[in-house]
Amino acid sequence: MITNLPELPEVETVVRGIAPFMEGKAIRQISVFPTKLRNPIQPFFTSAVENAKVLSVKRRGKYILICLNNNLTWITHLGMSGYVKIIDSDYYKKVKHDHVVWQVENKTIVLNDARRFGDIFITENPNDYGSLKSMGPEPFEITVNQFYENLQKTSRPIKNALLDQKIIAGLGNIYVAESLWLTGISPTKISNSIKISDAKKLMENIIIVLNKAIYAGGTTLKDHRQTNGELGYFQQSLMVYNQENKPCQKNQCDGIIYRIIQSGRSTFFCPKCQQ
DNA sequence: ACATGAGCCTGTGGGC
DNA sequence: TGCCCACAGGCTCATG
């Protein structure tokens, strides 16, 4: 099964993929197809974006922020199945679940989202929108002390705490599982019982896991036409996520990967080396 | 204030 | 072969 769960590295990959084609360019011929995503698309969306020049394309957590020269920011969240296609011409033929299509110079860019958990929003104040309002620090910017303090704030299991975007931005089920496995921390361990030394190791491993995934994504960007959300590339290097009943890959560990449910979501871990 | 769980949505894959 | 249904999960909202 090809999964396409846009967490921080996937969103970063999309941003890096589209930024060179969009920054400094004007958006032309934007169309929205009348299907509702998570929220209805604002009626003035196309008129707000059409002909605006793109100042920057950035990522914050799992959100894409496209800053325009008309004081507006176009916010996109990819949900769990959203992806972006770059087509090397102005010829475009709609396929199923395409929701927004626009042109920059001679390229066509398309947002596709089958499950429609994604979101599109135009605002003057992106920091007030949705979970951006209370979004926690970026993993690449947070300090160990900050991270530790945020983990101290809750008595939930560490797995749930790491998924909480207020504690740290950008992590989802896959990279939380991988990071906890790499660090040897059980996903059921209570967040505020983590020692600062373990928080430090966990923080370092989160960075390692994210960087590895971003790097893997970057290599697929060489052919930018492949900016198509087929982000299964990282799947080959998943150590625990979706690996139920397989042997633990850690050196010296003869454990088996278990799947449990936490807050209604699957958690994968090795009970032997993750205590 | 904090924690939990349902619901949104469609494609996939296993079981029969 | 084809049907059915559990499952995937980020986020919001309602409830405890």
Side-chain angles (χ1 to χ4, degrees):
Chain A
M1 183 180 71
I2 302 291
T3 59
N4 170 31
L5 308 170
E7 302 184 24
L8 187 153
E10 289 74 21
V11 178
E12 181 69 24
T13 297
V14 170
V15 165
R16 291 184 188 185
I18 63 175
F21 301 113
M22 290 190 68
E23 288 180 346
K25 314 281 169 56
I27 294 172
R28 313 282 186 201
Q29 309 272 347
I30 186 158
S31 310
V32 173
F33 303 109
T35 37
K36 182 176 167 288
L37 296 178
R38 162 168 289 283
N39 299 303
I41 296 176
Q42 294 144 297
F44 55 87
F45 173 78
T46 51
S47 59
V49 174
E50 179 92 34
N51 296 322
K53 194 170 157 185
V54 176
L55 300 179
S56 63
V57 183
K58 296 177 184 166
R59 179 191 58 75
R60 175 77 174 101
K62 299 171 193 171
Y63 286 85
I64 300 168
L65 304 177
I66 302 173
C67 301
L68 306 173
N69 70 339
N70 55 12
N71 205 32
L72 296 171
T73 299
W74 168 6
I75 300 173
T76 292
H77 194 291
L78 297 175
M80 42 176 310
S81 56
Y83 66 91
V84 174
K85 295 178 277 193
I86 300 176
I87 301 168
D88 259 340
S89 78
D90 53 12
Y91 173 75
Y92 163 74
K93 187 172 185 304
K94 184 181 185 303
V95 301
K96 205 175 182 184
H97 305 308
D98 282 352
H99 298 298
V100 185
V101 55
W102 64 96
Q103 290 182 6
V104 277
E105 292 189 331
N106 58 345
K107 303 219 183 315
T108 304
I109 306 183
V110 186
L111 176 69
N112 182 292
D113 182 2
R115 289 178 205 172
R116 294 199 262 141
F117 273 32
D119 195 15
I120 288 176
F121 200 77
I122 282 277
T123 178
E124 289 185 1
N125 304 301
N127 291 334
D128 287 341
Y129 185 67
S131 68
L132 285 168
K133 230 182 309 192
S134 50
M135 181 79 65
E138 288 288 320
F140 295 114
E141 294 170 9
I142 194 172
T143 65
V144 171
N145 281 339
Q146 227 179 338
F147 181 55
Y148 175 69
E149 279 167 26
N150 285 358
L151 292 181
Q152 287 298 113
K153 287 177 188 166
T154 178
S155 56
R156 281 173 291 171
I158 182 78
K159 188 268 175 99
N160 299 73
L162 292 174
L163 286 176
D164 185 342
Q165 303 298 296
K166 292 192 274 299
I167 289 180
I168 185 168
L171 301 182
N173 217 22
I174 294 176
Y175 298 110
V176 164
E178 296 296 314
S179 301
L180 287 172
W181 175 84
L182 194 56
T183 317
I185 296 176
S186 168
T188 62
K189 193 169 174 67
I190 299 304
S191 181
N192 60 12
S193 75
I194 298 274
K195 289 180 293 185
I196 191 161
S197 56
D198 284 336
K200 182 170 186 286
K201 284 181 209 158
L202 178 57
M203 192 62 250
E204 289 165 356
N205 285 331
I206 287 170
I207 297 298
I208 287 171
V209 167
L210 293 177
N211 270 328
K212 193 176 164 190
I214 291 171
Y215 180 78
T219 62
T220 68
L221 282 181
K222 284 177 186 163
D223 181 356
H224 56 78
R225 283 169 298 185
Q226 298 299 314
T227 304
N228 61 6
E230 295 293 333
L231 298 172
Y233 56 81
F234 192 63
Q235 263 210 335
Q236 296 157 355
S237 53
L238 292 179
M239 295 291 130
V240 279
Y241 181 83
N242 219 13
Q243 307 299 311
E244 188 180 12
N245 294 329
K246 292 186 186 166
C248 178
Q249 296 298 309
K250 198 167 282 182
N251 281 346
Q252 316 290 338
C253 183
D254 60 354
I256 298 288
I257 306 304
Y258 274 61
R259 171 177 173 268
I260 60 170
I261 304 294
Q262 290 178 289
S263 294
R265 303 293 179 218
S266 284
T267 296
F268 299 90
F269 75 115
C270 171
K272 192 147 189 182
C273 67
Q274 292 180 257
Q275 297 290 327

